[in-house]
Amino acid sequence: MSRNDAAPGTATAPPGRLRRLLSLLYVQCLIGVLAGAAVGWLWPSFGADLKPLGDGFIALVRMMIAPVIFCTVVHGIASMGNARAVGRVSLKALIYFEVLTTVAMVTGLVVVNVVQPGSGLHVDPSSLSVKGLPPEATASHESVAAFVLAMIPDTLLSALTGHEILPVLLVSVLFGFGLNAAGGTGRGITEGVERLSRVLFTLIRWIMRLAPIGAFGSMAFTIGNYGLETLRHLFLLVGSFWLTALFFVLVVLGAVMRVNGLRLLPFLRYIKEELLIVLGTSSSEPVLPRMMAKLQHAGASKPVVGITLPAGYSFNLDGTAIYLTMGSVFLAQALGIDLSLTQQLSMLAVMLLTSKGAAGVTGSGFIALAATLSAVPHVPVAALALIFGIDRFMSEARALTSVVGNGVATLAVAKWEGQLDEERARAVLRGDLPFTPVPEAEHTAVPQTDPAAGAKPEATDPEAPAGRDREPVPAAG
């Protein structure tokens, strides 16, 4: 008798659908988020003590980010065979980032001026104090030159042991170009880097099984430490910010996807696990390795993914861009400071700089807002005390918007560079080709089109090793 056959005279066991549903990571994360919110609401003190669960999970993933970016970028560039193509991808990505960041900031600026969530609060500036704010918010902030110099690590290896993404990206690009220029000498190293990346993604798969626990702990801490009552007086700001972020995702990013022949809602379903992890942990960092793997699985070439997505974590934070404009103008409204259009546009210009380098960790948007206020004389930095208590409730929206924005940016740049398999992308977003975190030795094919020959060579998986005599991504142009 098979395991599924019921014995005579006994009740039939329920089908395995529930078990399969509970085995899905996004369902487990959703349960973790809801359970954490309930624990934080019912037992605030206990919920606040669960913060180490979320911090531990984020730390586990963060230790994998630098080597994953290094292996992905190095192997992609070394296999690409065309240094000009790498520069072209980088330039297109940076132009896209600046345009979309500006659109996000203007969107936030329009909404906050129309809704005016801070009007009527009549806060006395003399009653404000920087006491209680994090030290980073009141510290002096680096200049543009210091920001650029900070991209250069002390040593080649120190970039892989730090917490900043841009130094890792710089070292990876240089090392990839070095292997490319070495020819046959560097081929063995390139193959070794590719095999190492497989090991790293296996470790990522194991760590991601802890995501529901991390989401549970982070959400319990947020609700338990700050409480839902914190939202009562500032509900208009939080609500308008979430709605603005949703508008930007659905309308602006939806339009970008449409222009590139894809649809946004299927893409959101495709990355639903990552979105729930971001919602629970209030950080976009934990999903970076999986987003890289999923975008490659969706048909974007490895070099484009390796360059565009990590760079977007510093240069394309759409959620933070919206937050900066809405937060700064809200504080001015609350203090009764009437900002002219010229003053608001000057603040926007400063924000285009202060938003860069605010990596996807919790609270980075708040620090970027502090840097903005310290760089312009219109609103005192002490005004940040008005929104410090609710910042955590807006951090989730910032991270969610930025994750979606960087995923859309990667697909858009891949399409413009001719390194997106559109047929595969549509099939993946339809659900015809499910994503598996670590493919087996024999993979599902990912065809790439040679623009010169107009034919599709033998297909490879985005994480599969390239053949010795074949580039995984033909050089465009």
Side-chain angles (χ1 to χ4, degrees):
M1 184 174 61
S2 68
R3 188 170 21 177
N4 295 328
D5 292 335
T10 62
T12 304
R17 182 178 302 176
L18 179 60
R19 179 180 298 178
R20 290 195 300 271
L21 191 64
L22 292 176
S23 68
L24 299 176
L25 183 61
Y26 78 90
V27 174
Q28 296 172 6
C29 289
L30 180 60
I31 294 173
V33 168
L34 295 177
V39 169
W41 180 46
L42 296 174
W43 303 284
S45 178
F46 176 67
D49 291 338
L50 295 178
K51 187 175 186 290
L53 293 178
D55 292 346
F57 169 71
I58 293 175
L60 281 173
V61 179
R62 185 180 293 170
M63 75 177 184
M64 303 297 298
I65 288 178
V68 164
I69 292 176
F70 179 81
C71 291
T72 303
V73 176
V74 167
H75 182 261
I77 293 177
S79 305
M80 202 168 187
N82 190 335
R84 287 185 301 173
V86 176
R88 190 167 57 242
V89 169
S90 303
L91 180 61
K92 289 180 179 179
L94 290 176
I95 293 174
Y96 176 94
F97 294 161
E98 288 305 311
V99 171
L100 265 290
T101 298
T102 303
V103 171
M105 288 184 173
V106 171
T107 302
L109 202 61
V110 170
V111 171
V112 76
N113 279 282
V114 171
V115 179
Q116 296 192 351
S119 297
L121 291 181
H122 305 298
V123 177
D124 183 5
S126 62
S127 65
L128 299 174
S129 172
V130 296
K131 184 179 180 181
L133 294 178
E136 297 85 354
T138 55
S140 58
H141 299 280
E142 60 185 12
S143 62
V144 176
F147 170 75
V148 174
L149 290 176
M151 295 172 54
I152 306 175
D154 294 333
T155 66
L156 190 69
L157 296 179
S158 64
L160 302 180
T161 60
H163 297 295
E164 299 295 329
I165 292 178
L166 291 180
V168 181
L169 198 57
L170 175 64
V171 168
S172 304
V173 170
L174 292 177
F175 199 82
F177 280 142
L179 289 180
N180 201 330
T185 304
R187 185 171 296 165
I189 299 177
T190 302
E191 294 177 353
V193 168
E194 195 280 332
R195 291 187 175 93
L196 176 60
S197 70
R198 289 184 173 277
V199 176
L200 294 176
F201 275 104
T202 300
L203 298 179
I204 288 292
R205 183 189 62 178
W206 294 346
I207 293 173
M208 293 310 293
R209 303 314 301 178
L210 301 175
I213 299 176
F216 169 77
S218 294
M219 186 58 67
F221 164 76
T222 299
I223 303 300
N225 191 60
Y226 299 107
L228 297 177
E229 287 297 317
T230 312
L231 299 175
R232 185 174 58 183
H233 296 295
L234 300 175
F235 176 78
L236 188 57
L237 172 62
V238 176
S240 58
F241 175 69
W242 273 85
L243 290 176
T244 304
L246 183 63
F247 170 84
F248 180 84
V249 169
L250 295 180
V251 177
V252 178
L253 297 182
V256 174
M257 290 288 281
R258 282 287 187 182
V259 167
N260 291 282
L262 301 172
R263 294 171 56 209
L264 178 68
L265 293 182
F267 177 68
L268 295 180
R269 286 196 298 268
Y270 178 56
I271 62 170
K272 57 183 179 292
E273 294 177 349
E274 289 68 33
L275 295 180
L276 283 171
I277 293 171
V278 171
L279 178 64
T281 61
S282 189
S283 172
S284 57
E285 255 191 340
V287 301
L288 176 57
R290 275 180 62 97
M291 285 292 293
M292 295 177 73
K294 278 198 167 183
L295 289 169
Q296 291 176 52
H297 179 72
S301 72
K302 196 168 189 176
V304 171
V305 173
I307 294 172
T308 306
L309 190 63
Y313 267 60
S314 289
F315 292 101
N316 187 44
L317 300 173
D318 297 327
T320 299
I322 297 172
Y323 171 80
L324 290 178
T325 50
M326 294 192 69
S328 58
V329 177
F330 166 82
L331 294 176
Q333 294 171 351
L335 297 176
I337 300 174
D338 186 17
L339 295 177
S340 65
L341 179 61
T342 302
Q343 290 173 323
Q344 293 188 32
L345 291 178
S346 66
M347 291 179 68
L348 189 148
V350 172
M351 292 170 192
L352 286 173
L353 297 176
T354 55
S355 64
K356 308 308 178 190
V361 296
T362 304
S364 59
F366 186 80
I367 304 304
L369 179 57
T372 301
L373 297 184
S374 64
V376 294
H378 312 312
V379 181
V381 176
L384 289 170
L386 296 175
I387 61 173
F388 179 59
I390 63 167
D391 178 74
R392 182 79 182 204
F393 295 98
M394 293 187 285
S395 181
E396 287 91 347
R398 292 199 301 262
L400 288 169
T401 305
S402 297
V403 165
V404 177
N406 284 320
V408 171
T410 303
L411 294 176
V413 173
K415 170 69 182 296
W416 300 339
E417 189 62 13
Q419 296 187 18
L420 175 68
D421 186 343
E422 296 182 55
E423 293 182 6
R424 179 181 177 87
R426 295 190 186 94
V428 169
L429 298 187
R430 284 196 308 265
D432 296 342
L433 298 174
F435 171 77
T436 53
V438 181
E440 302 297 333
E442 297 297 330
H443 306 281
T444 306
V446 183
Q448 298 287 349
T449 304
D450 187 341
K456 293 182 179 179
E458 182 185 350
T460 60
D461 186 271
E463 294 182 22
R468 286 183 175 269
D469 302 320
R470 184 183 71 246
E471 296 178 14
V473 182

